[in-house]
Amino acid sequence: MGYINESVIYNIYPLGFCGAPRDNDGKLVYRLDKIYDCIDHLKKMSVNVLVFNPLFESSRHGYDTIDYRKVDCRLGDNNSFKKICNTLHENGIKVILDGVFNHVGRDFFAFKDVQQNLGNSRYCNWFQNLNFGGRSPKGDPFWYEGWAGHYDLVKLNLQNDEVVNYLLDSVKFWIDEFDIDGLRLDAADCIDLEFFKKLRNVCKSEKPDFWLYGEITHGDYNRWANDNLLDSVTNYECYKGIYSSHNDHNYFEIAHSLNRQFGNGGIYRNIYTFNFVDNHDVNRISSDLKDKNHLKNVYTLMYTMPGVPSIYYGSEYGIEGKRTQFSDYELRPCLDLNNVENADYDLLNHIIKLGKVRLALDALKYGKFDNVNIMNEKLVYKRFTDNQTVFVAFNLTDHDEKIGFDTGCNAKLTDVLNDNEVIDVNGYCELSLKPYSSRILVVNDGSFKVNFDDECEVKTVTADVPTKKEKKVEKLKKVQKGRYRHFKGTEYEVLGVSTHSETGEKLVIYMSVDGKETLWARPYDMFTDVVEHNGKKINRFTLLS
């Protein structure tokens, strides 16, 4: 079945995560190097796959591609990303990139050629429905099809063999040069299925366990995920069911979806779906839930249902974010994952436990699914293989509850989510559940347990990647008002320098520019200091303007 069954996925939107300018300013800044500081955090959560939303060179948000074979300069360059990939692989973390093959940006080289040479351009047939019988909404003396009516996103003509070969060669480039392990296919429902067939053949011939999953928001998943096309799809049906069943106190909703998809006779039993509770296109789960006490149950459900779980960066801390009619930027903030404001560390610790539990239990990674007891506010289902059975029980109420179910065995249940508590059962079992809680119960002889004490080991890259000769870095001579960037990528506005009333120490006063306008104070000497980061000496803060 490939590596994905043994995986916990983490998903970042690089341009937002790194605090890149919204418009490509053409300046090369190694913002994505902040990934190095996140590896120990990822490994504590048992993350072993990292999905990068678009990082190819683009004009603005990543989905308006300029160059399919170049890392966006706002994030770094190809050499720096190659080093990142090597480091992630050294630490047991696979790399999946976002393949945006339905459309390109208006600055894409072939479209620029059409703008310059009009009907004489050799690239006229690269774009969907391009003709010279009218003007585009962008003022071009020709018409073309924009994706979903967005004319900054120019639809590619995937019936053109030259376009297809260009894209496939680009994919081979990322596999050969960066050893990537998979692709997320953006807007997969809009892409010609024959292209996916060719893409699969290329990727699987390069790496047999290469994983392809498509962004599908509706429809029959079997149309895209099968032995001829993609391996998997985004499970939007259960994404909605997970949060709304908690909001409505109606576990029947998610139980119905799970049974429809994965139960006996389920229509998606042969698809290992990509499961999520939020991403860069939808509200953060903490903003969608009416009662944040349900967060733990939400994640327990996602980690124990069939398919692979994915965490969207920052949501492990319970951060909030809603999309608006005009912008998705609140969903894609710049974050230091080791220093998140108002972090919910109780939720993080719960997710750390879930990661260890998932990877320890074959029934969760490979097992079949069956509902056992469904009630409005309580739910029990089981995951099972020939060699292991696991019951998962939920209570979404604000008080203690009991729920009974037939275990079908005379054995013991070990609750691996709650201190490896051992419970004797003889057929029918009635369990107590605390408010807003869940249990993950493994059928065994009483000796089974999951160890939560293992420490992760973060390895450094050993690959020989060429780098430019370093220049001598000197300490900042003077701090003035203006915009500065911290060496981890976050930007701040320096308001001035003050003097401590008791000690006389000079302090730099600065403010975050993420919309929250949090005030900070740092000793002057520390603010102007040089630090070592990823083997290089750099300024702790760099003046931008």
Side-chain angles (χ1 to χ4, degrees):
M1 294 186 181
Y3 67 83
I4 208 67
N5 296 70
E6 300 282 341
S7 296
V8 173
I9 294 176
Y10 198 80
N11 177 202
I12 69 168
Y13 179 84
L15 292 170
F17 170 68
C18 296
R22 294 190 181 184
D23 294 303
N24 194 328
D25 56 8
K27 296 178 181 178
L28 175 61
V29 181
Y30 296 96
R31 292 182 175 92
L32 195 56
D33 281 3
K34 70 188 287 188
I35 284 291
Y36 295 116
D37 295 330
C38 305
I39 292 176
D40 57 347
H41 173 66
L42 299 179
K43 294 179 74 173
K44 285 177 183 176
M45 292 191 294
S46 301
V47 167
N48 49 18
V49 177
L50 185 54
V51 172
F52 292 92
N53 287 128
L55 48 69
F56 305 149
E57 188 84 57
S58 73
S59 301
R60 294 197 71 205
H61 44 67
Y63 290 99
D64 48 348
T65 309
I66 295 175
D67 190 336
Y68 281 100
R69 300 177 190 180
K70 182 174 181 283
V71 169
D72 196 298
C73 65
R74 292 170 287 177
L75 301 173
D77 56 26
N78 285 13
N79 276 341
S80 67
F81 185 63
K82 185 179 292 187
K83 188 173 181 180
I84 288 171
C85 290
N86 288 336
T87 303
L88 291 171
H89 285 141
E90 284 283 325
N91 282 278
I93 301 174
K94 296 187 180 294
V95 176
I96 293 178
L97 301 187
D98 203 339
V100 188
F101 302 138
N102 178 65
H103 47 263
V104 294
R106 286 171 54 83
D107 292 322
F108 183 62
F109 76 93
F111 190 76
K112 298 290 285 185
D113 191 271
V114 173
Q115 289 177 314
Q116 180 177 345
N117 297 307
L118 301 178
N120 294 321
S121 172
R122 63 178 295 270
Y123 298 107
C124 287
N125 198 38
W126 275 44
F127 304 103
Q128 192 78 19
N129 295 325
L130 189 144
N131 65 78
F132 292 90
R135 299 182 67 84
S136 79
K138 293 287 187 178
D140 307 289
F142 53 84
W143 178 263
Y144 61 89
E145 186 174 339
W147 176 71
H150 299 286
Y151 287 91
D152 55 337
L153 302 176
V154 187
K155 283 206 68 172
L156 288 169
N157 177 15
L158 295 180
Q159 303 294 321
N160 183 334
D161 288 341
E162 192 175 7
V163 175
V164 170
N165 290 334
Y166 167 78
L167 294 175
L168 296 180
D169 286 343
S170 298
V171 172
K172 286 193 285 187
F173 167 77
W174 289 99
I175 297 175
D176 294 341
E177 294 295 320
F178 300 83
D179 196 26
I180 66 168
D181 304 286
L183 284 174
R184 170 194 183 269
L185 285 313
D186 181 65
D189 60 313
C190 302
I191 294 179
D192 180 60
L193 297 181
E194 285 300 312
F195 173 77
F196 284 151
K197 186 180 295 185
K198 295 173 183 176
L199 177 67
R200 180 187 182 92
N201 291 337
V202 165
C203 294
K204 299 294 185 180
S205 63
E206 293 275 330
K207 295 182 79 169
D209 65 348
F210 197 88
W211 199 59
L212 296 163
Y213 77 98
E215 181 199 20
I216 298 295
T217 60
H218 59 279
D220 181 359
Y221 297 164
N222 289 295
R223 183 185 179 201
W224 295 276
N226 54 61
D227 291 340
N228 297 314
L229 303 175
L230 307 180
D231 297 300
S232 183
V233 294
T234 51
N235 195 343
Y236 265 89
E237 177 183 340
C238 284
Y239 146 74
K240 189 267 179 185
I242 289 173
Y243 77 77
S244 61
S245 61
H246 287 89
N247 282 347
D248 297 339
H249 286 241
N250 179 20
Y251 270 141
F252 282 95
E253 178 182 359
I254 188 59
H256 170 77
S257 290
L258 291 172
N259 185 65
R260 173 180 175 273
Q261 292 190 352
F262 307 114
N264 186 21
I267 60 176
Y268 301 143
R269 289 181 68 186
N270 295 322
I271 302 175
Y272 210 72
T273 55
F274 178 97
N275 300 328
F276 63 99
V277 293
D278 48 17
N279 60 34
H280 67 288
D281 286 324
V282 300
N283 294 344
R284 295 274 180 172
I285 184 64
S286 287
S287 294
D288 268 340
L289 286 177
K290 296 177 182 177
D291 186 345
K292 292 182 177 56
N293 287 304
H294 293 146
L295 275 170
K296 287 184 180 179
N297 277 6
V298 160
Y299 279 102
T300 300
L301 210 159
M302 183 181 71
Y303 269 75
T304 58
M305 65 183 279
V308 60
S310 174
I311 297 288
Y312 184 50
Y313 78 101
S315 285
E316 68 271 27
Y317 291 111
I319 71 168
E320 299 182 9
K322 285 189 174 184
R323 66 183 303 173
T324 69
Q325 181 181 355
F326 306 104
S327 174
D328 296 330
Y329 283 109
E330 191 177 340
L331 308 174
R332 311 166 181 182
C334 179
L335 288 182
D336 175 359
L337 293 176
N338 298 310
N339 186 26
V340 174
E341 289 185 22
N342 302 315
D344 184 344
Y345 288 103
D346 192 36
L347 176 62
L348 173 63
N349 289 330
H350 182 73
I351 289 173
I352 288 172
K353 276 189 174 182
L354 288 173
K356 291 182 180 294
V357 168
R358 169 180 162 77
L359 296 187
L361 301 182
D362 282 350
L364 298 186
K365 294 181 289 187
Y366 297 96
K368 297 178 182 178
F369 173 89
D370 194 14
N371 280 316
V372 175
N373 190 356
I374 312 169
M375 305 173 73
N376 281 335
E377 298 182 309
K378 292 177 285 186
L379 173 66
V380 180
Y381 56 71
K382 71 175 180 178
R383 302 291 311 283
F384 58 100
T385 65
D386 291 341
N387 300 313
Q388 188 178 69
T389 297
V390 174
F391 292 95
V392 188
F394 300 87
N395 171 24
L396 63 69
T397 73
D398 61 0
H399 53 269
D400 290 346
E401 278 284 356
K402 289 186 177 181
I403 188 166
F405 58 97
D406 186 2
T407 66
C409 65
N410 181 7
K412 297 181 187 294
L413 301 179
T414 299
D415 186 351
V416 293
L417 191 59
N418 297 284
D419 301 321
N420 289 304
E421 177 188 356
V422 178
I423 303 163
D424 288 305
V425 296
N426 184 5
Y428 187 83
C429 172
E430 187 171 68
L431 290 178
S432 295
L433 288 95
K434 295 178 181 179
Y436 309 114
S437 73
S438 52
R439 289 178 176 266
I440 302 177
L441 304 147
V442 183
V443 177
N444 69 107
D445 62 3
S447 62
F448 187 91
K449 68 176 183 178
V450 174
N451 183 8
F452 297 105
D453 298 328
D454 295 338
E455 293 294 329
C456 67
E457 177 188 1
V458 181
K459 301 177 182 178
T460 56
V461 67
T462 58
D464 183 18
V465 180
T467 58
K468 296 180 180 178
K469 185 176 180 180
E470 292 186 31
K471 297 180 180 179
K472 183 179 179 180
V473 179
E474 296 182 351
K475 194 170 181 175
L476 282 177
K477 292 182 172 60
K478 183 180 180 181
V479 177
Q480 61 191 53
K481 292 182 180 180
R483 182 73 63 92
Y484 287 77
R485 180 175 295 116
H486 188 262
F487 71 93
K488 291 183 179 179
T490 308
E491 294 184 7
Y492 300 93
E493 187 77 22
V494 168
L495 304 179
V497 178
S498 67
T499 301
H500 195 293
S501 62
E502 301 299 322
T503 66
E505 182 183 20
K506 294 174 66 179
L507 299 171
V508 179
I509 308 299
Y510 56 106
M511 178 179 67
S512 62
V513 292
D514 56 5
K516 298 180 180 179
E517 298 185 348
T518 307
L519 284 176
W520 304 88
R522 188 184 289 259
Y524 191 94
D525 287 341
M526 183 182 290
F527 190 97
T528 59
D529 209 357
V530 172
V531 297
E532 186 167 321
H533 184 60
N534 301 325
K536 299 179 182 179
K537 290 188 180 298
I538 57 176
N539 290 112
R540 187 185 297 276
F541 286 87
T542 302
L543 178 64
L544 300 179
S545 61

